[in-house]
Amino acid sequence: MNIRDHGISLRRAEDFDMSVANFDLDDREDYGEIRWNAISFLDARLYSLTFTEVRDGVIRAISLRKATTPERRRYGQA
């Protein structure tokens, strides 16, 4: 479904550079779990990853897509 919606597989989240990511809590609604949004690089381009931590640093990717223009600006200002 992520490939259809965003043109990239969720498996690519493994290559997402968490070491330079900007993180925000995704509290737009009650998902029944704590979700995070991260903006960082993948293949020299900024992407947005929504994920939840399932245990001790292991994450479950929920969505991965190219970062929007406002997200790219916010990343550049951080």
Side-chain angles (χ1 to χ4, degrees):
M1 190 136 104
N2 205 76
I3 293 173
R4 184 193 72 215
D5 293 344
H6 302 298
I8 190 167
S9 170
L10 280 177
R11 290 183 181 174
R12 292 300 316 276
E14 294 174 8
D15 303 320
F16 191 81
D17 192 350
M18 292 288 207
S19 68
V20 295
N22 288 352
F23 297 91
D24 289 308
L25 184 64
D26 184 352
D27 58 1
R28 294 171 297 162
E29 57 184 88
D30 182 5
Y31 298 104
E33 62 190 0
I34 297 171
R35 291 187 178 185
W36 294 91
N37 292 317
I39 306 294
S40 190
F41 287 94
L42 179 62
D43 298 336
R45 182 182 175 98
L46 282 173
Y47 276 80
S48 174
L49 173 65
T50 301
F51 67 94
T52 188
E53 185 175 4
V54 291
R55 68 181 178 284
D56 301 324
V58 176
I59 70 164
R60 178 175 58 87
I62 297 166
S63 175
L64 178 64
R65 60 172 174 73
K66 292 177 184 173
T68 63
T69 299
E71 288 169 334
R72 291 192 308 266
R73 282 190 199 118
R74 210 168 42 246
Y75 183 88
Q77 293 171 353

